[in-house]
C-alpha cells in the first residue's frame, strides 16, 4: 500500500516536473521565436516600427514603464495615480527643443502681464519650474525634480504656446517599476508601455540631442 | 535557545508584555492621528484654495494694486508651508507608527520564544475524523452550489448583449464622435501633430466620406483604405496612379539586384497583380483550365491556388482569343473581404481571402474576337464589370457579397478592351468607360449615366487617364482628347500626333504622359495640350505606365522598365531590365514593385 | 466562547478585504475625471464678445493644395498664393483666373501695375496679371526663407526669417540695404524671430512696419534703417500679444490702425495707430485650435481678408454696423 | 535654419518644430536633459541567486535542523531583503500573471528572472514541501509576525474558505492572459508597507488584513494566495516533507493544537462509518458528475463575460464611445468630454476600430469565462472527491498540502532524534 502510494507520488512528481520544464522552455524561447513578429523582426517591412519595442526588448529581456509624450493629454492622473507620492512621473525638459521664450506658456498663468517670478503668476502648483535670465530676451527654464509632482500643467501650457519642450517622463530612480503600473491602468490615452530597460526614455527631441543617461540604483523587477 | 532550558524569566516577560501593550496603544493613537491628518489634507488642498484663486482674480483685475500682490504672496507662502508640514506630519507619523509596531512585534515574538507555551493536552477525545469529513463534503457541496447559484444570478442580472451592441454600432459607421476631432488635436504635446485619419477626411468633407453616412460601411473599406492598397488594374480607381512611397528605382533581373523574390506562376495570363495588405492576387488560364492565385507579398510563397470550375452555365467551347490577349487578360479586384476574377469565357468568381468560392456565375460567352480583357473594379461593396461585347454591350454592378445584380446599364457601343476608371472628382464618384463611339460617365452606385461624349472610335484598347477634373481618352487611328468632366463635359483639346492602341495614358495635375504601342513616350500639358517632350524607347510597349512618387514607370514588352521624371523636361532616372518579357502593368506597395513577367512574378524592393 | 469572538472578528475583517477587492475590480464606475491640476485652455480662449466688432461676410475656398499668402490688388481683387500656384478672386469671391508655378509661395504682393511679386522660399519671382513670368530674382541665400514682401512705389521690402533681417531692394532685385539688424549705437535691439512668422507691411504713407515677434512688438523703420518707433506688449490677455512670438501677421488699415493675427491663441485684433487695443475681428473660437499662419490683407474698403490655412479658406470680415 | 524653412512647407512639420533653438551670443551652454537609467539588469539575477540560496538554506533549516527558532530568523531575513529592501515587487505570486500573459501574448517579453522566480519555489516544493512559504516569501513572513492569537478555524471553515484561492487564481490568470489587468499586483496588500509609500487606501487595506491576521494566522497565504494553490498541489507530491516527529510518533498528542494553520492531520485508525461499496458508489457518482459540474460552471462563467470584460480598459472605452455617439445621434450635446474621449479623439482612431477591438476582447472573455468556470467546477469536484478517498494513518502528520513547514510543531514533539 505505501509503496504503491510512493510510486504514484513519484509518477506525479515526474509529470509535474516535466510540465514545468516544458513551460519554462516555452517561456524562454517563445518571445524569442521569430513568429512572435509577423515580419520576423525585419522592421523595414513593418509599418509600426516606431511604436514597436519588441526586438530591443528581446535583447534586453528587461522592460521598464515609460510614457509616450506624443500620446499624453495631460489629464493629471500621473500626479494622482502613482503608487509613489509624489509621483515617479516628472516633468522633463528637452532643452534642445526649448525656445527660451520670455513669455513661457508653461511658466506663467494665462493672462499674466508682468513677466516676473512672483507667486501670483506661477502656473506650477509646487513652484518646481525655475526661470533664469540668460540674455535678452532669452530665459532658461529648469525643473526642480524634488518638487515636481508630474501634474503636467506646464506641459500643457508649453505644448499649447511653445515647442512642447516640457514633457512628462517616468523617472526610473523613483519608479518602482511595478509589475502593473497603476498609472498605466488609468491612463486615458494608453500612453504608458513597457519599454526595453536599455533605452528607457521616450523623450521627444528633434533628434538634435539624445538625453544623457544617468545610471543609478532603482529596480528592474518581476 | 532558552525555552529549551525551560525556566522562563517571568519579570522579563512581564516587562516585555508591558512594553508591547504600551506600544500597541501608542500605535493605535498614531493611526487615529494620521487618519485625521490625512482627511484634513484631503479636504483642503492648500495649493488651490478658493481664497487664493479669488485673490489672484482680484489682482488680475487691478494689476497695480501692490497690497493684493503682497497678500497673494503671503498666502501662497502659507499654503505651501501648510502643505509641506502636513506632508511632514504624515511621514514622521508613519515612521513612528512603524517603529511602535516593530517594538510590539519584537516584544511579542520575544515572549513567544522565551516562554514555552505548554501544550494544553491531554484533553478530551481527538476530533471525530469521519463525521468531520462528511461535514466537510457537505459544506463543499453547499458552497459550490451557493457559488453556482450566485454567479448564475449575477450572470442573468448583468445585461448581456454588449457584443451585439458593438456589432451594430460598428456597422453604422458615422464618425459622429470623431467628427469634431479637428479641435483639441494639437494641444496634445509634441509629436502628436499628425491630424487623425478619421479627422482629416472629416475636415475636407470629400464626397466619399460625407456620403459614408448614408451607406453602412461595415461590409466595404473606405475610399481612404482602398487608396492605401492596390486593389485593381492600374491601382486604386484604375487611373495608373499610386500614392505608395519609397519605390525602388533600380534593379536587374539577371544579376538579381534588388529582386526580393521571384515566383513562377503556373498558368499564363496577361492580367496584372492586384494587392490587398500583404497579399497579391493573380489569375492564370489555359484553354481548359482557369486558376486564381494568392501570393504572400513578403515571401513570394503561393498561399493558395483556387481552380475555377464547375460553374453552371459555363460554356463548354473554348473562347476564340488572340495570343496577345490570352484566356486571363482581365485583372482581378478585391475590397479586402473577397477577391473577384473574370475569364475570357465569361466565368466570374468571388473567392474569400482563403480561396474558398463564395459565389460564381457565367456572364455568357462574350462575343469578342480578341478575347474579353476589361478588368474588374470595385466601388464600396459593388463589383463593376465593363462587358462591352458585340451582343448587348453593358456595364453592370453586382453585389460583392452575393453576386446578385445591383444595377445594369446597357450601352450602345462597340466592343471595348479598355478597363473602367473610378475617380473622385471632389463632387462625386464617377465611373468612366471608354468605347467607340464615346467616353461615358456613370454613377457607380446606381449605374445611372451621368454624361457621355462622342470623341473616340475604333477598337478601343487603352483605358482612361484622369487628373484634376480632366479625363483623357486615346485610341489608335482615332485621337487623343482631354475632356473636362462634371455636369457639362466638354473637350478641352484634341491631338492625334501620337496615339496608342494598348498602353493607357497617365496624368498628373499638370502633365499628361502618353505612350504609344511602338514605345514612344510623349508629355503634354494636361490643361492646354501643348507638347513638352517626346522620347522613343525603341521597343514596343503593352504594359501601361504607372505614376509613383513623381516618376513614370514604363515597361516595354521585353521587360525593361524605363523610369522617367514626371516633369516638364524629359529625364531618364533609370532603366531596369527584368530579364523576362512582360505584358503586365506593375503593382506597388510601400517600398516594393511587383512585376508579372511571362512566366514569373517578381518582387522588387530596396 | 472567547475563541468564537476572535474567529468571527478575524473572518469579518477578511471578508471586508475580499469585498473591497471585488467591488473595486468589478464596479463599472468611470475613472475619476476631476483633475486638480487642469490647465483651463477653454478659459484663455474665451473672449468678451462685446469686443468683437467685425463679422464674417464671405468665405472663399481656393482649390490650391496649400495656401500660404494673400494680398489685395487693383479693384480689390484677392490674390491667394500657395503650393504650385496662385488664384485670383473678385471681391465677391468669384474665381477670376489662376496660374501655376513651381514651388511653394510663402508671401505675395502686387505693385501699381498689378504685377505679382511672389516670394518662393529663398527668391522672388515676378509675374504679370496673366501669370506670364516676367523676372526671377536670384536666391538671397540657401538659408533664406522669405516670409513677407511689400512693394512701395520705388522699392521692394522683404522679410527673411532665415537671416532674421529685412531687405530693401530695387524692383530688379538689387539689394540696397538691410534693415533692423542688431545695432547698439543706433539702439536697434535686433529681430528675435523664434518661429517662421516674420511679417512686414507698409503704412499708408509708405513707412515700413516690421513685426518683431520675439519681442511681441511692431517696429517702424525708415528706409535707411533707423528705428523710429515701436509698440506692443506680451500678454495672453486680449490687449497683448500671446505666446512665444506674435503677432504672426499684420496689416494696416486706411486710417493707419493695425490688424494683427496671433497663433497659440488664434485671434485677429485691431490696434490704433498708437498701439492701443481697439477691438476683435475674429475670436479664437472662429479657428481650429492650433491654426498657425493667419496671413492678413486689407482692401480699399477696409475689408479684412484672413487666410485660414487650416480650413483652407479665405475669410472676409467686415465691420458690423 | 533649413529645418525652420522646412517648417513653413507643411503645417504638420511646422507643428512638430514650431521654432528652432535660439543662437545665443552670451557664453551660455545648453544643459543636457538628464534621464536616469533603471538599475542594472544583472541585479535582477542577483535577486534570483538570493532566492535560490535562501530556498536551499530554509529547506535545510526545516528538514535537517528542524528548528522553529532558525526558521523564524530566516524568515526575518527574507522579509528584510525581499520585503523591505527589494520592496516586495520581485514576487513569485505576481509572476503567475507575467507567465500567463507571456504564454498568450507573443509580444510580451518576460524577463528570465521572472521565470526563475515563478519556477524555483515550485521545484523546491515539489521535492521538499512548501519551505518557500516557511521563510522565503516576504508576505508569509510578514503575516507570521502578526499571528498573535491564532485560532483554530475548524475543518469546515478551512475547506470552504479554501475555495477562494482557486477563484483568485482563476481570475488572475484570466485577466492576465487577456492582457486586461494584473489583479494580484493591483491588490497586493503589503507592497505599500514595504515601500513606506502608498496611497492611503492601500495602507488601510494592508492594515485590515493584518488585523484579521492577528486571529486568523496568515490569512492571505491560506485563503487568498493564488500561488498557494500551485504550491499546495505540488507539495502534495513532495518527496521529503517536514514531519512532526523525527522518528515514530508516540501518540502523545502534544502537537495536536500546536499548528496555527490547522495543518496537522490527526491519526485515523477507526473505520469509516460509510461502507466501502457505498463510498465506491459515491465516487462513481462524482466521476460521472465531474464533466457536468465543469460544464455548468463553465456556462455561468461564460455568462459573466461582460462583467469580466468590463474590467478591460478597451471595453470601457468602447462603452463610453458608444454612449457618446448614442447621445450625439439623439441630438443632445455632451457637456464636455471625459479624458478618455479626449484621448480617443486625439488618437484619431475610428469608432469602428474601437468597437472591433472591444468585441475581440469580449470574445476572449467568453472563451476565458468558460475555462475559468470549468476550472472552478473541476476544483470543487476534486476537493469533494478528495474527501471520499479511504484514509488510514496511525500518526499525527502534517497535511502536505496546507502545511507551511514553519516547523512550529517540531518544538512540541518530545521525541528528539
Amino acid at each position: 500500500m505505501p509503496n504503491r502510494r510512493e510510486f504514484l507520488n513519484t509518477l506525479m512528481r515526474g509529470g509535474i516536473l516535466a510540465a514545468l520544464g516544458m513551460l519554462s522552455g516555452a517561456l524562454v524561447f517563445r518571445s524569442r521565436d521569430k513568429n512572435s513578429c509577423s515580419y520576423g523582426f525585419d522592421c523595414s517591412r513593418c509599418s509600426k516600427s516606431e511604436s514597436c519595442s519588441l526586438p530591443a526588448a528581446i535583447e534586453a529581456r528587461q522592460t521598464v514603464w515609460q510614457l509616450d509624450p506624443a500620446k499624453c493629454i495631460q489629464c493629471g492622473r500621473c500626479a494622482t495615480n502613482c503608487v509613489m507620492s509624489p509621483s515617479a512621473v516628472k516633468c522633463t525638459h528637452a532643452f534642445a527643443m526649448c525656445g527660451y521664450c520670455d513669455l513661457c506658456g508653461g511658466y506663467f498663468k494665462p493672462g499674466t502681464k508682468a513677466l516676473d517670478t512672483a507667486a501670483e503668476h506661477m502656473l506650477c502648483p509646487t513652484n518646481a519650474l525655475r526661470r533664469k535670465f540668460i540674455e535678452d530676451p532669452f530665459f532658461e527654464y529648469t525643473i526642480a525634480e524634488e518638487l515636481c509632482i508630474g501634474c503636467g500643467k506646464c506641459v500643457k501650457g508649453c505644448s499649447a504656446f511653445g515647442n512642447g519642450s516640457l514633457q512628462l517622463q517616468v523617472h526610473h530612480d523613483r519608479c518602482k517599476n511595478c509589475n502593473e503600473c497603476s498609472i498605466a491602468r488609468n491612463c486615458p490615452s494608453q500612453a504608458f508601455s513597457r519599454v526595453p530597460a536599455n533605452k528607457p526614455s521616450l523623450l521627444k527631441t528633434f533628434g538634435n540631442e539624445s538625453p544623457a543617461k544617468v545610471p543609478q540604483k532603482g529596480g528592474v523587477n518581476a | 535557545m532558552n525555552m529549551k532550558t525551560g525556566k522562563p524569566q517571568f519579570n522579563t516577560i512581564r516587562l516585555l508584555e508591558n512594553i508591547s501593550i504600551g506600544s500597541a496603544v501608542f500605535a493605535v493613537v498614531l493611526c487615529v492621528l494620521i487618519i485625521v491628518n490625512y482627511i484634513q489634507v484631503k479636504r483642503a488642498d492648500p495649493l488651490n484654495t478658493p481664497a487664493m484663486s479669488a485673490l489672484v482674480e482680484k489682482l488680475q483685475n487691478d494689476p497695480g494694486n501692490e497690497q493684493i500682490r503682497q497678500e497673494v504672496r503671503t498666502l501662497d507662502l502659507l499654503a505651501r508651508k501648510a502643505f509641506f508640514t502636513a506632508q511632514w506630519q504624515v511621514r514622521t507619523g508613519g515612521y513612528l507608527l512603524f517603529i511602535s509596531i516593530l517594538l510590539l512585534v519584537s516584544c511579542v515574538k520575544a515572549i513567544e520564544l522565551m516562554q514555552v507555551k505548554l501544550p494544553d493536552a491531554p484533553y478530551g477525545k481527538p476530533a471525530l475524523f469521519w463525521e468531520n469529513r462528511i461535514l466537510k463534503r457537505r459544506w463543499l457541496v453547499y458552497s459550490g452550489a451557493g457559488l453556482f447559484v450566485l454567479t448564475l444570478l449575477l450572470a442573468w442580472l448583468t445585461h448581456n448583449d454588449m457584443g451585439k451592441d458593438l456589432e451594430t454600432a460598428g456597422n453604422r459607421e458615422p464618425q459622429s464622435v470623431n467628427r469634431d476631432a479637428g479641435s483639441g488635436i494639437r494641444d496634445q504635446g509634441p509629436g502628436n501633430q499628425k491630424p487623425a485619419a478619421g479627422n482629416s477626411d472629416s475636415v475636407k468633407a470629400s464626397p466619399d466620406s460625407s456620403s459614408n453616412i448614408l451607406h453602412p460601411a461595415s461590409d466595404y473599406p473606405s475610399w481612404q483604405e482602398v487608396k492605401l492598397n492596390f486593389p485593381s488594374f492600374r491601382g486604386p480607381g484604375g487611373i495608373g496612379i499610386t500614392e505608395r512611397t519609397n519605390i525602388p528605382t533600380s534593379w536587374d533581373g539577371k544579376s538579381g539586384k534588388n529582386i526580393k523574390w521571384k515566383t513562377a506562376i503556373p498558368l499564363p495570363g496577361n492580367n496584372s497583380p492586384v494587392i490587398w495588405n500583404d497579399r497579391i492576387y493573380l489569375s492564370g488560364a489555359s484553354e481548359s483550365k482557369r486558376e486564381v492565385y494568392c501570393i504572400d507579398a513578403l515571401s513570394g510563397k503561393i498561399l493558395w491556388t483556387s481552380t475555377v470550375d464547375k460553374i453552371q452555365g459555363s460554356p463548354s467551347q473554348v473562347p476564340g482569343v488572340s495570343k496577345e490577349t490570352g484566356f486571363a487578360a482581365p485583372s482581378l479586384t478585391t475590397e479586402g473581404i473577397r477577391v473577384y476574377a473574370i475569364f475570357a469565357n465569361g466565368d466570374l468568381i468571388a473567392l474569400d481571402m482563403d480561396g474558398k468560392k463564395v459565389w460564381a456565375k457565367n456572364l455568357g460567352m462574350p462575343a469578342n474576337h480578341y478575347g474579353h480583357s476589361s478588368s474588374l473594379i470595385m466601388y464600396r461593396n459593388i463589383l463593376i464589370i465593363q462587358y462591352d461585347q458585340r451582343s448587348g454591350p453593358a456595364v453592370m454592378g453586382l453585389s460583392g457579397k452575393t453576386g446578385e445584380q445591383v444595377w445594369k446599364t446597357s450601352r450602345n457601343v462597340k466592343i471595348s478592351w479598355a478597363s473602367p476608371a473610378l475617380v473622385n472628382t471632389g463632387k462625386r464618384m464617377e465611373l468612366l468607360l471608354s468605347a467607340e463611339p464615346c467616353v461615358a460617365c456613370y454613377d457607380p452606385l446606381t449605374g445611372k449615366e451621368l454624361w457621355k461624349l462622342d470623341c473616340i472610335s475604333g477598337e478601343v484598347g487603352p483605358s482612361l487617364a484622369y487628373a484634376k477634373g480632366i479625363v483623357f481618352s486615346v485610341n489608335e487611328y482615332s485621337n487623343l482628347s482631354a475632356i473636362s468632366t462634371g455636369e457639362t463635359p466638354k473637350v478641352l483639346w484634341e491631338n492625334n500626333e501620337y496615339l496608342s492602341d494598348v498602353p493607357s495614358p497617365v496624368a498628373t495635375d499638370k502633365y499628361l504622359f502618353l505612350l504609344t504601342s511602338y514605345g514612344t513616350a510623349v508629355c503634354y500639358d494636361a490643361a492646354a495640350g501643348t507638347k513638352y517632350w517626346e522620347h522613343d524607347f525603341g521597343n514596343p510597349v503593352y504594359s501601361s505606365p504607372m505614376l509613383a512618387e513623381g516618376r513614370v514607370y514604363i515597361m516595354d514588352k521585353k521587360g525593361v522598365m524605363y523610369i522617367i521624371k514626371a516633369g516638364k523636361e524629359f529625364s531618364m532616372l533609370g532603366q531596369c531590365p527584368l530579364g523576362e518579357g512582360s505584358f503586365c502593368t506593375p503593382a506597388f506597395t510601400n517600398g516594393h514593385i511587383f512585376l508579372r513577367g511571362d512566366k514569373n512574378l517578381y518582387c522588387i524592393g530596396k | 466562547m472567547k475563541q468564537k469572538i476572535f474567529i468571527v472578528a478575524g473572518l469579518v475583517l477578511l471578508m471586508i478585504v475580499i469585498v473591497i477587492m471585488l467591488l473595486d475590480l468589478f464596479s463599472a464606475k468611470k475613472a475619476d475625471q476631476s483633475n486638480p491640476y487642469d490647465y483651463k485652455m477653454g478659459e484663455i480662449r474665451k473672449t468678451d464678445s462685446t469686443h468683437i466688432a467685425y463679422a464674417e461676410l464671405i468665405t472663399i475656398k481656393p482649390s490650391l493644395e496649400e495656401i500660404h499668402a494673400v494680398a489685395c490688388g487693383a479693384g480689390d481683387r484677392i490674390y491667394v498664393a500657395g503650393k504650385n500656384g496662385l488664384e485670383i478672386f473678385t471681391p465677391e469671391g468669384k474665381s477670376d483666373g489662376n496660374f501655376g508655378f513651381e514651388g511653394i509661395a510663402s508671401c505675395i504682393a502686387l505693385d501699381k501695375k498689378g504685377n505679382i511679386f511672389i516670394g518662393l522660399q529663398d527668391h522672388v519671382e515676378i509675374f504679370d496679371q496673366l501669370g506670364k513670368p516676367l523676372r526671377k530674382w536670384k536666391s538671397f541665400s540657401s538659408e533664406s526663407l522669405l516670409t513677407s514682401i511689400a512693394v512701395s512705389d520705388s522699392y521692394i521690402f522683404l522679410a527673411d526669417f532665415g537671416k532674421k533681417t529685412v531687405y530693401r531692394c530695387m524692383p530688379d532685385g538689387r539689394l540696397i540695404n538691410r534693415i533692423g539688424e542688431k545695432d547698439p549705437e543706433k539702439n536697434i535691439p535686433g529681430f528675435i524671430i523664434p518661429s517662421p512668422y516674420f511679417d512686414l507691411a507698409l503704412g499708408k504713407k509708405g513707412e515700413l512696419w516690421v513685426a518683431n515677434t520675439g519681442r511681441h512688438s511692431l517696429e517702424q523703420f525708415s528706409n535707411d534703417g533707423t528705428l523710429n518707433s515701436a509698440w506692443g506688449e506680451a500678454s495672453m490677455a486680449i490687449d497683448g500679444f500671446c505666446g512665444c512670438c506674435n503677432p504672426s501677421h499684420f496689416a494696416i488699415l486706411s486710417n493707419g490702425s493695425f490688424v494683427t493675427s496671433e497663433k497659440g491663441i488664434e485671434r485677429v485684433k485691431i490696434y490704433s495707430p498708437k498701439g492701443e487695443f481697439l477691438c476683435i475681428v475674429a475670436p479664437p473660437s472662429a479657428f481650429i485650435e492650433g491654426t498657425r499662419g493667419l496671413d492678413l490683407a486689407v482692401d480699399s474698403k477696409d475689408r479684412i481678408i484672413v487666410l485660414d490655412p487650416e480650413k483652407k479658406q479665405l475669410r472676409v470680415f467686415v465691420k458690423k454696423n | 535654419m533649413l529645418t525652420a524653412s522646412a517648417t513653413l512647407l507643411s503645417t504638420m512639420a511646422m507643428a512638430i518644430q514650431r521654432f528652432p533653438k535660439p543662437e545665443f551670443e552670451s557664453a551660455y551652454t545648453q544643459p543636457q536633459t538628464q534621464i536616469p537609467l533603471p538599475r542594472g539588469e544583472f541585479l535582477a539575477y542577483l535577486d534570483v541567486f538570493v532566492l535560490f540560496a535562501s530556498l536551499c538554506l530554509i529547506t535545510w533549516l526545516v528538514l535537517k535542523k528542524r528548528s522553529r527558532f532558525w526558521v523564524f530568523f530566516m524568515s526575518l531575513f527574507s522579509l528584510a531583503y525581499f520585503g523591505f529592501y527589494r520592496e516586495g515587487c520581485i514576487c513569485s505570486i505576481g509572476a503567475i500573471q507575467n507567465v500567463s500573459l507571456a504564454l498568450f501574448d507573443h509580444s510580451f517579453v518576460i524577463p528570465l528572472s521572472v521565470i526563475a522566480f515563478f519556477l524555483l519555489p515550485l521545484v523546491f516544493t515539489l521535492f521538499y514541501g512548501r519551505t518557500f512559504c516557511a521563510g522565503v516569501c516576504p508576505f508569509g513572513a510578514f503575516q507570521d509576525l502578526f499571528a498573535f492569537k491564532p485560532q483554530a478555524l475548524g475543518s469546515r471553515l478551512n475547506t470552504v474558505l479554501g475555495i477562494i484561492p482557486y477563484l483568485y487564481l482563476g481570475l488572475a490568470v484570466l485577466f492576465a492572459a487577456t492582457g486586461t489587468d494584473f489583479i494580484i499586483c493591483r491588490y497586493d496588500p503589503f507592497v505599500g508597507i514595504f515601500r513606506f509609500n502608498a496611497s492611503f487606501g492601500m495602507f488601510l487595506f494592508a492594515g485590515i488584513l493584518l488585523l484579521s491576521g492577528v486571529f486568523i494566522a496568515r490569512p492571505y497565504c491560506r485563503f487568498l494566495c493564488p500561488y498557494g494553490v500551485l504550491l499546495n498541489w505540488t507539495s502534495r507530491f513532495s518527496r521529503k516533507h517536514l514531519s512532526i516527529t523525527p522518528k515514530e510518533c508516540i501518540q502523545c498528542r502534544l502537537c495536536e493544537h500546536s499548528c496555527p494553520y490547522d495543518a496537522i492531520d490527526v491519526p485515523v485508525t477507526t473505520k469509516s462509518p460509510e461502507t466501502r461499496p457505498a463510498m465506491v458508489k459515491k465516487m462513481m457518482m462524482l466521476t460521472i458528475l465531474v464533466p457536468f459540474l465543469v460544464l455548468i460552471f463553465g456556462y455561468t462563467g461564460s455568462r459573466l463575460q461582460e462583467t469580466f470584460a468590463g474590467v478591460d480598459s478597451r471595453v470601457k472605452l468602447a462603452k463610453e464611445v458608444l454612449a457618446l455617439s448614442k447621445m450625439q445621434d439623439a441630438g443632445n450635446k455632451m457637456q464636455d468630454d471625459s479624458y478618455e474621449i479626449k484621448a480617443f479623439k486625439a488618437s484619431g482612431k475610428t469608432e469602428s476600430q474601437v468597437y472591433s477591438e472591444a468585441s475581440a476582447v469580449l470574445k476572449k472573455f467568453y472563451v476565458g469565462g468558460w475555462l475559468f468556470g470549468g476550472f472552478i467546477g473541476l476544483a470543487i469536484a476534486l476537493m469533494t472527491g478528495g474527501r471520499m478517498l479511504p484514509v488510514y494513518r496511525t500518526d499525527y502528520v502534517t497535511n502536505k498540502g496546507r502545511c507551511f513547514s514553519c516547523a512550529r510543531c517540531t518544538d512540541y514533539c518530545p521525541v528528539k532524534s
Side-chain angles (χ1 to χ4, degrees), chain C residues 133-173:
Chain C
L134 301 177
R135 166 180 275 119
K136 180 174 175 184
W137 294 6
K138 62 176 178 23
S139 162
F140 282 89
S141 84
S142 62
E143 303 166 346
S144 286
L145 173 54
L146 302 175
T147 52
S148 183
I149 181 168
V151 181
S152 77
D153 305 353
S154 40
Y155 304 117
I156 319 287
F157 296 92
L158 288 153
D160 183 345
F161 165 69
K163 290 290 188 193
K164 306 269 192 297
T165 183
V166 169
Y167 306 117
R168 182 162 65 110
C169 306
M170 300 300 290
D172 63 6

Side-chain angles (χ1 to χ4, degrees), chain A residues 94-174:
Chain A
F95 292 98
M97 283 172 80
C98 184
Y100 293 78
C101 311
D102 181 1
L103 174 53
C104 172
Y107 185 82
F108 290 110
K109 280 213 183 86
T112 304
K113 285 220 180 62
L115 303 182
D116 53 32
T117 59
E120 66 270 22
H121 300 153
M122 219 140 292
L123 186 67
C124 178
T126 60
N127 187 16
L129 192 55
R130 299 293 165 77
R131 164 185 168 102
K132 187 170 120 243
F133 174 78
I134 294 175
E135 68 182 63
D136 179 53
F138 299 128
F139 289 80
E140 181 193 65
Y141 296 89
T142 48
I143 294 145
E145 276 178 22
E146 66 282 5
L147 288 178
C148 179
I149 56 171
C151 67
K153 209 169 176 178
C154 57
V155 176
K156 187 155 188 180
C158 179
S159 50
F161 298 111
N163 254 359
S165 59
L166 294 170
Q167 299 165 36
L168 289 178
Q169 283 288 284
V170 174
H171 280 210
H172 296 290
D173 51 350
R174 188 156 179 75

